[in-house]
Amino acid sequence: QVQLVEFGGGLVQPGGSLTLFCAASGNIFERHLMGWFRQAPGKQRELVAQFTRTGDTTYADSMKGRLTMSRDNAKNTISLQMNDLKPEDTAVYYCNLKQRRSYPPRDFDYWGQGTQVTVSS
């Protein structure tokens, strides 16, 4: 199994910044993808940022230009720097890890417990 631990959320004023962190441990395959999702009240969980297999990063259109996701391979951690935060960014942010076992074939999808980000004046 894989465990994901998130931290860094909190209360921030509009226009402020926060950095989220996620540490992964357990049976992590050599090839895997990590990223961030968020879920606001009454809305579906949506992609925030995710690494691709080519090493690029996909960002949500609503947050593009305000995000920078980084990875520390040695520590199996990722971070998400969020700038110019807006009230509509208020949500629970979840760390995600996806990996695929080739044989026997099976996909694995792991989630952290979530960390609350509240943007309010």
Side-chain angles (χ1 to χ4, degrees), residues 10-121:
L11 176 64
V12 64
Q13 294 184 352
S17 300
L18 279 177
T19 300
L20 307 181
F21 300 88
C22 175
S25 62
N27 187 23
I28 304 172
F29 299 165
E30 182 177 355
R31 300 189 66 177
H32 60 274
L33 298 176
M34 295 185 68
W36 292 91
F37 291 72
R38 71 181 183 184
Q39 187 166 22
K43 292 188 175 182
Q44 299 288 333
R45 188 171 299 186
E46 63 178 348
L47 173 70
V48 175
Q50 189 171 41
F51 289 116
T52 70
R53 287 183 172 86
T54 60
D56 297 322
T57 305
T58 298
Y59 294 107
D61 289 338
S62 62
M63 303 186 75
K64 192 172 298 182
R66 301 186 291 122
L67 299 175
T68 302
M69 186 166 65
S70 301
R71 178 179 179 88
D72 187 335
N73 290 318
K75 298 180 179 180
N76 285 324
T77 62
I78 61 171
S79 63
L80 181 68
Q81 181 181 352
M82 303 187 293
N83 302 315
D84 192 25
L85 287 165
K86 308 174 186 298
E88 51 265 38
D89 294 321
T90 296
V92 178
Y93 286 71
Y94 296 91
C95 183
N96 172 254
L97 186 150
K98 302 178 186 294
Q99 59 186 17
R100 175 170 291 174
R101 185 176 67 190
S102 296
Y103 185 85
R106 184 176 176 179
D107 291 338
F108 296 87
D109 200 358
Y110 299 96
W111 298 92
Q113 79 285 354
T115 183
Q116 177 72 48
V117 173
T118 302
V119 184
S120 176
S121 60

